[in-house]
Amino acid sequence: MLEQLKQRVCEANLMLVKKRLVVLTWGNASAVDREHRVVVIKPSGLSYEAMKPEQMVVVSLDTGRVVEGGLGPSSDTPTHIELYKSFPGIGGIAHTHSLYATAWAQGKREILPLETTHADHFHGAIPCTRELRKKEIASDYERNTGRVIVERFRTLNPLELPAVLVASHGPFTWGTTVEEAVENAVVRERVARMATETLSLNRSAKSMSRALLDKHFLRKHGKNTYYGQMKN
Amino acid sequence: MLEQLKQRVCEANLMLVKKRLVVLTWGNASAVDREHRVVVIKPSGLSYEAMKPEQMVVVSLDTGRVVEGGLGPSSDTPTHIELYKSFPGIGGIAHTHSLYATAWAQGKREILPLETTHADHFHGAIPCTRELRKKEIASDYERNTGRVIVERFRTLNPLELPAVLVASHGPFTWGTTVEEAVENAVVRERVARMATETLSLNRSAKSMSRALLDKHFLRKHGKNTYYGQMKN
Amino acid sequence: MLEQLKQRVCEANLMLVKKRLVVLTWGNASAVDREHRVVVIKPSGLSYEAMKPEQMVVVSLDTGRVVEGGLGPSSDTPTHIELYKSFPGIGGIAHTHSLYATAWAQGKREILPLETTHADHFHGAIPCTRELRKKEIASDYERNTGRVIVERFRTLNPLELPAVLVASHGPFTWGTTVEEAVENAVVRERVARMATETLSLNRSAKSMSRALLDKHFLRKHGKNTYYGQMKN
Amino acid sequence: MLEQLKQRVCEANLMLVKKRLVVLTWGNASAVDREHRVVVIKPSGLSYEAMKPEQMVVVSLDTGRVVEGGLGPSSDTPTHIELYKSFPGIGGIAHTHSLYATAWAQGKREILPLETTHADHFHGAIPCTRELRKKEIASDYERNTGRVIVERFRTLNPLELPAVLVASHGPFTWGTTVEEAVENAVVRERVARMATETLSLNRSAKSMSRALLDKHFLRKHGKNTYYGQMKN
């Protein structure tokens, strides 16, 4: 079963490159197997060009230690683990330094819901964390990155808002599966870019109405969806 | 005859992807057969990758109900129907969430005619609708989207201005055929982008003169055209 | 000999598409044969996809009338002829509606020399014409477009500044050959884009010093060039 | 041994094109062989299309004269030599007129460290030189370009900040090898673009905290690195 998950995590990482969300080695995707309490994640600093499923690293969800794999895991692994522990409904995470979302993270601004495709996927503004404090950087830095994300979501539902911007760093997205996490990363990058272009035309652009936001999110999610084909 | 129309509608939808006006499943093109009073349109939420002509859905222009096809039609079908009913001269419609036109729709600004290729295709500014009201969103949302477009065109000629921006949503274009609707979408995206780049250089850029606008529109449309090769 | 010129003009037109300076049919390149007093130019409104050398149209430099070819010439032909008549040193012209240069033409701003690659090719700012007057549009429009360009160059040397922006229209470039005209179009688009990006960082960016402008232009042009390989 | 270096320098130059950092002939990469006191560099003004290792030019690090090769060296060779002489730890240099970094050089602004991938590669802001003076342009121009770079680094460590913007000109990067110089050019262009996009969202965006800058730079460089795979 883990072989299959390694395959999917490897493909998700390669998809981030294909969708132009990752340059060099700047990104990582992971999936959690909650039954076996392990996370499967990309190795650290490895080139994407010859990446293979068997190179994916398996780490314990409880201890963070490598339990399988000959390579070291992504340096961002403690961030992923923190999110898996705090957001029980999620199954996969994708982290990138994609151009537009990172610009919003650098600018330390949340991405307002300006248009219907944003509302189709994110039930509100994509939030931005606070900066990490000096001592949060000095020790346990990557784990603290996860903690400021969780702190930001205290009053938010991570399943209705599957993305965040980490200030001065970049975006993380998630989903019920690693494939959904990647799709949410694609959408997040696109709405980030559309929001950037909108601001250049109208610096005081405002969020869409709550009615329109709800309409679009709820026609694709929840009980009364009517977008797409019914799944029998 | 409908087989041929399904073929053309399928190709038009794929052309929107090829011209980079559509990402994921965010777009749809349709054509009307006014003699048989049906609209042929893309299925809802279907991936473009293996899209085939026989998957196109046929709906009644009068009732909006599916009359042929095993899949559900695009959720935007009621918008298309409203436009076909109100604009008798049009034969095809294309809807996208393309980057630049959507930014103008999010910024809620009309696209001024700044340059001659705009004037070659659109006889004036590309207008933007008002926002939908809460009750227009709550029920009959997609049909009301069509209605605010029609409302915006009360004093405009849809055949001389074959494009609109729906506020907080995105652009629709049309034409006498579905192929023309797609070409107008390509031009609209390009003039939207050129207008964005112009504003970044000169925030108070003004419309071209009426004389120049008329000159370019009328040398390509109407009785005295002299652009392109004469059709014998 | 004209067959060879048709071949070169056809290739130059296709190069404009390859270099992404032309979308749809929005552009044209021509060459002059001053000995035979003819201009070879692209046909009007023809798709680039199957364009062939034998479709190029030959028009008289004196009368503007077609002297060879079964298709009508580009509607911009009178503009080209006006430039060939007024700028005796030029051998080719390229006209596009490329994104960035057109934005500067729409914004009605000259492109300042901000950086050395601009100075390598253009010995000063790329100028912008005035708007055409109502009566200049009403009759002889395309010829008058050439005239406002020539008017703008009254005190400028077209061989040292082989590009212009026509206000509310788009750019024209030229060169001693049609190939040079196309290369100058490539460079003009690039410096236009770099200038746009510069303005977004520093709205009061100024021209480079005259000393640096002269240094770069003159190390590539004139008697004391030392850039590139010596031609024996 | 020089054959190998020519091969690497040729590949580095072609990589600049592949990574879209160079258009036309606007760029050059070189490597130094400090033992033999020579620099291997691209020929001047040569098209990249058929570039071959044996065309690379070998010049003396001491006299700047060609010691091997039938073509003239890049006109920027004296700049490279000045940097090799002044920065003893570097082994390769890449110069481009890439879009975003050049815009910062034209805007005469240093690129602030706004985000972690910047900090992973550059231990502070990427600096911008002063303008050259009139007499520095009039004679020994290319060598003086090197000198203003060295002047700018008087209090900076070129191995911790392997990039510079030359005002009104463009960027230079370097590294311990020519391959590292090219990688640093790729990263520099990306962080330049991300910084541009950030400024468009937040014109008063500030540098990240010193703590975060040090954290990221030092987890990849120096004694206590823990990013990537350990090299045994």
Side-chain angles (χ1 to χ4, degrees):
Chain A
M1 205 167 101
L2 273 185
E3 297 320 301
Q4 217 179 27
L5 202 56
K6 285 181 188 174
Q7 176 82 34
R8 287 169 57 199
V9 168
C10 184
E11 279 170 16
N13 276 287
L14 294 174
M15 186 58 76
L16 293 176
V17 178
K18 195 179 160 195
K19 293 292 186 182
R20 296 171 174 247
L21 300 177
V22 162
V23 293
L24 299 172
T25 61
W26 303 352
N28 43 69
S30 74
V32 70
D33 178 333
R34 291 190 185 271
E35 196 190 340
H36 298 89
R37 301 199 61 73
V38 291
V39 171
V40 179
I41 195 164
K42 201 195 78 166
S44 181
L46 199 76
S47 162
Y48 285 84
E49 271 174 40
M51 196 176 281
K52 286 171 193 157
E54 57 267 30
Q55 292 174 317
M56 298 301 107
V57 186
V58 184
V59 299
S60 161
L61 183 59
D62 300 304
T63 66
R65 295 215 189 102
V66 174
V67 296
E68 199 185 306
L71 296 164
S74 164
S75 56
D76 293 316
T77 302
T79 313
H80 289 238
I81 288 179
E82 201 63 24
L83 296 182
Y84 285 126
K85 282 183 173 167
S86 302
F87 300 159
I90 72 173
I93 296 171
H95 169 48
T96 73
H97 293 262
S98 53
L99 182 59
Y100 293 95
T102 302
W104 285 86
Q106 292 187 153
K108 294 163 204 165
R109 293 182 65 163
E110 60 180 13
I111 306 175
L112 293 179
L114 296 171
E115 171 262 6
T116 56
T117 59
H118 182 120
D120 286 339
H121 293 81
F122 304 105
H123 201 179
I126 298 175
C128 186
T129 70
R130 65 167 172 81
E131 302 264 353
L132 272 76
R133 297 185 189 101
K134 202 169 173 179
K135 66 177 180 185
E136 291 169 332
I137 293 166
S139 94
D140 250 355
Y141 166 61
E142 289 83 3
R143 190 171 170 198
N144 288 328
T145 299
R147 283 174 177 153
V148 294
I149 296 173
V150 173
E151 180 188 312
R152 185 68 189 78
F153 272 74
R154 224 171 258 163
T155 59
L156 298 171
N157 179 346
L159 292 177
E160 295 203 344
L161 263 178
V164 73
L165 309 172
V166 178
S168 304
H169 186 149
F172 286 78
T173 59
W174 47 80
T176 55
T177 61
V178 67
E179 292 81 8
E180 202 180 287
V182 171
E183 183 180 319
N184 285 335
V186 171
V187 176
R188 175 215 69 215
E189 186 64 7
R190 179 77 179 188
V191 300
R193 185 171 188 184
M194 292 201 291
T196 289
E197 293 297 339
T198 302
L199 275 201
S200 89
L201 300 175
N202 182 350
R203 295 207 73 81
S204 56
K206 295 277 190 311
S207 290
M208 63 175 64
S209 70
R210 188 74 209 179
L212 188 59
L213 179 68
D214 287 347
K215 178 73 186 177
H216 271 265
F217 190 78
L218 298 174
R219 79 178 194 177
K220 285 193 74 169
H221 301 85
K223 292 181 217 152
N224 302 307
T225 62
Y226 62 93
Y227 179 93
Q229 306 301 326
M230 291 302 127
K231 281 105 180 171
N232 299 309
Chain B
M1 202 169 104
L2 274 184
E3 297 320 302
Q4 218 179 25
L5 201 56
K6 285 181 188 174
Q7 175 83 34
R8 289 168 57 198
V9 168
C10 185
E11 278 170 17
N13 276 288
L14 294 174
M15 187 58 76
L16 293 176
V17 178
K18 195 179 161 196
K19 293 293 186 181
R20 295 169 175 249
L21 300 177
V22 163
V23 293
L24 298 173
T25 61
W26 302 352
N28 43 69
S30 74
V32 70
D33 179 333
R34 291 188 185 271
E35 195 189 339
H36 298 89
R37 302 198 62 72
V38 291
V39 171
V40 179
I41 194 164
K42 201 195 78 166
S44 181
L46 199 77
S47 162
Y48 285 85
E49 271 175 40
M51 196 176 281
K52 285 171 195 158
E54 56 267 30
Q55 292 174 316
M56 298 301 106
V57 187
V58 183
V59 298
S60 161
L61 184 59
D62 299 304
T63 65
R65 296 215 188 103
V66 175
V67 296
E68 199 184 307
L71 296 166
S74 164
S75 56
D76 293 317
T77 302
T79 313
H80 289 239
I81 287 179
E82 201 62 24
L83 296 182
Y84 285 127
K85 282 183 175 169
S86 302
F87 300 160
I90 72 175
I93 296 172
H95 169 49
T96 73
H97 292 262
S98 54
L99 183 58
Y100 293 95
T102 302
W104 285 86
Q106 292 188 153
K108 293 163 206 165
R109 294 182 64 165
E110 61 179 13
I111 306 175
L112 292 179
L114 296 170
E115 171 262 6
T116 56
T117 59
H118 182 120
D120 285 339
H121 293 80
F122 304 105
H123 201 179
I126 297 176
C128 186
T129 69
R130 64 167 172 83
E131 301 265 353
L132 270 77
R133 297 187 189 99
K134 203 170 172 179
K135 65 176 180 186
E136 290 169 333
I137 293 166
S139 94
D140 251 354
Y141 166 62
E142 288 82 4
R143 191 171 169 199
N144 287 327
T145 299
R147 281 172 178 155
V148 294
I149 296 173
V150 173
E151 179 188 313
R152 185 68 189 78
F153 272 75
R154 223 170 262 164
T155 58
L156 299 171
N157 179 346
L159 291 177
E160 295 203 344
L161 263 178
V164 73
L165 309 172
V166 178
S168 303
H169 187 150
F172 286 77
T173 58
W174 48 81
T176 54
T177 61
V178 67
E179 291 82 8
E180 202 180 288
V182 170
E183 184 180 319
N184 285 336
V186 171
V187 176
R188 174 215 70 214
E189 186 63 8
R190 180 75 178 189
V191 299
R193 185 171 188 182
M194 291 201 292
T196 289
E197 294 297 339
T198 301
L199 275 201
S200 89
L201 300 174
N202 181 350
R203 295 207 73 80
S204 55
K206 294 279 189 310
S207 290
M208 63 175 62
S209 70
R210 187 74 209 179
L212 188 59
L213 179 68
D214 288 347
K215 177 73 185 177
H216 271 267
F217 190 78
L218 298 174
R219 79 178 194 177
K220 286 193 73 171
H221 302 85
K223 291 182 218 153
N224 301 306
T225 63
Y226 64 92
Y227 179 93
Q229 305 302 325
M230 290 303 125
K231 280 105 180 172
N232 300 307
Chain C
M1 203 170 102
L2 273 185
E3 298 319 302
Q4 217 179 26
L5 202 56
K6 284 181 189 175
Q7 175 82 35
R8 288 169 57 199
V9 168
C10 184
E11 279 170 16
N13 275 288
L14 294 174
M15 186 57 77
L16 293 176
V17 178
K18 195 179 161 196
K19 294 291 186 183
R20 296 170 174 246
L21 300 177
V22 163
V23 292
L24 299 173
T25 61
W26 303 351
N28 43 68
S30 74
V32 70
D33 178 333
R34 291 188 185 274
E35 196 189 337
H36 297 90
R37 300 199 62 72
V38 291
V39 172
V40 178
I41 194 163
K42 200 195 78 166
S44 181
L46 199 76
S47 161
Y48 285 85
E49 271 174 40
M51 197 176 280
K52 286 170 193 157
E54 56 267 30
Q55 292 175 316
M56 299 301 107
V57 187
V58 184
V59 299
S60 161
L61 184 58
D62 299 304
T63 65
R65 295 217 189 101
V66 175
V67 296
E68 198 184 307
L71 296 165
S74 164
S75 56
D76 293 317
T77 302
T79 313
H80 289 239
I81 288 178
E82 200 63 25
L83 297 181
Y84 285 127
K85 282 183 174 168
S86 302
F87 300 160
I90 72 174
I93 296 172
H95 169 49
T96 73
H97 292 261
S98 54
L99 183 58
Y100 292 96
T102 303
W104 285 86
Q106 292 187 153
K108 293 162 204 165
R109 295 181 63 164
E110 61 180 13
I111 305 175
L112 293 178
L114 296 170
E115 171 262 5
T116 55
T117 59
H118 181 120
D120 285 338
H121 293 82
F122 304 105
H123 201 181
I126 297 176
C128 185
T129 70
R130 64 166 172 83
E131 302 264 353
L132 272 75
R133 297 185 191 102
K134 202 169 173 180
K135 64 177 181 185
E136 290 170 333
I137 294 166
S139 94
D140 250 355
Y141 166 61
E142 288 82 5
R143 190 171 171 199
N144 287 328
T145 299
R147 282 172 177 155
V148 294
I149 296 173
V150 173
E151 179 188 314
R152 185 69 190 77
F153 273 74
R154 224 170 259 163
T155 58
L156 299 171
N157 179 345
L159 292 176
E160 296 203 343
L161 263 178
V164 74
L165 308 172
V166 177
S168 304
H169 186 149
F172 287 78
T173 58
W174 48 81
T176 55
T177 61
V178 68
E179 291 81 8
E180 203 180 288
V182 171
E183 184 180 319
N184 285 335
V186 171
V187 175
R188 175 216 68 214
E189 186 64 8
R190 179 76 178 188
V191 300
R193 184 171 188 182
M194 291 202 292
T196 289
E197 293 297 339
T198 302
L199 274 202
S200 88
L201 301 174
N202 182 349
R203 295 207 72 80
S204 55
K206 295 279 190 309
S207 290
M208 63 175 63
S209 70
R210 188 75 211 180
L212 188 59
L213 179 69
D214 287 346
K215 178 73 185 177
H216 271 267
F217 189 79
L218 298 173
R219 80 178 193 178
K220 286 194 74 171
H221 300 85
K223 291 183 218 151
N224 302 306
T225 64
Y226 62 93
Y227 179 94
Q229 307 302 325
M230 291 302 128
K231 280 102 181 176
N232 299 307
Chain D
M1 203 169 101
L2 273 185
E3 298 319 303
Q4 217 179 27
L5 202 55
K6 284 181 188 174
Q7 175 82 34
R8 287 169 57 199
V9 168
C10 185
E11 279 170 16
N13 276 288
L14 294 174
M15 186 58 76
L16 293 177
V17 178
K18 195 180 161 195
K19 293 291 187 184
R20 296 170 174 245
L21 300 177
V22 163
V23 292
L24 299 173
T25 61
W26 303 352
N28 43 69
S30 74
V32 69
D33 179 333
R34 291 189 185 272
E35 196 189 341
H36 297 91
R37 302 199 61 73
V38 291
V39 171
V40 179
I41 194 163
K42 201 195 77 166
S44 181
L46 199 76
S47 162
Y48 285 85
E49 270 174 40
M51 196 176 281
K52 286 171 193 157
E54 57 267 30
Q55 292 174 316
M56 298 301 107
V57 187
V58 184
V59 299
S60 161
L61 184 58
D62 300 304
T63 66
R65 295 216 189 100
V66 175
V67 296
E68 199 184 308
L71 296 165
S74 165
S75 57
D76 293 317
T77 302
T79 313
H80 289 238
I81 288 179
E82 200 64 22
L83 296 181
Y84 286 127
K85 282 183 173 168
S86 303
F87 300 160
I90 72 173
I93 295 171
H95 169 48
T96 73
H97 292 262
S98 54
L99 183 58
Y100 293 96
T102 303
W104 285 85
Q106 292 187 152
K108 294 162 204 168
R109 294 181 64 164
E110 61 178 13
I111 306 176
L112 293 179
L114 296 171
E115 172 263 5
T116 56
T117 59
H118 182 121
D120 285 339
H121 293 82
F122 304 105
H123 201 180
I126 298 176
C128 186
T129 69
R130 65 166 173 82
E131 302 264 354
L132 271 77
R133 297 185 190 101
K134 203 169 172 180
K135 66 178 181 186
E136 290 169 332
I137 293 166
S139 95
D140 251 355
Y141 166 62
E142 289 82 4
R143 190 171 171 199
N144 287 329
T145 299
R147 282 171 177 156
V148 294
I149 296 173
V150 173
E151 180 188 312
R152 185 67 189 78
F153 273 75
R154 224 170 259 164
T155 58
L156 299 171
N157 179 346
L159 292 177
E160 295 203 344
L161 263 178
V164 74
L165 308 172
V166 177
S168 304
H169 186 149
F172 286 78
T173 59
W174 47 82
T176 55
T177 62
V178 67
E179 292 82 7
E180 202 180 287
V182 171
E183 183 179 319
N184 285 336
V186 171
V187 176
R188 175 215 69 215
E189 186 63 8
R190 179 77 178 187
V191 299
R193 185 172 187 182
M194 292 201 291
T196 289
E197 293 296 339
T198 302
L199 275 202
S200 88
L201 300 174
N202 182 349
R203 296 207 72 81
S204 56
K206 295 278 189 312
S207 291
M208 63 175 64
S209 70
R210 188 75 210 179
L212 188 59
L213 180 69
D214 287 348
K215 179 73 186 178
H216 271 266
F217 190 78
L218 298 173
R219 81 178 191 176
K220 286 193 73 170
H221 301 86
K223 291 182 217 152
N224 302 306
T225 63
Y226 64 92
Y227 179 93
Q229 306 301 326
M230 290 303 126
K231 281 102 181 174
N232 300 308

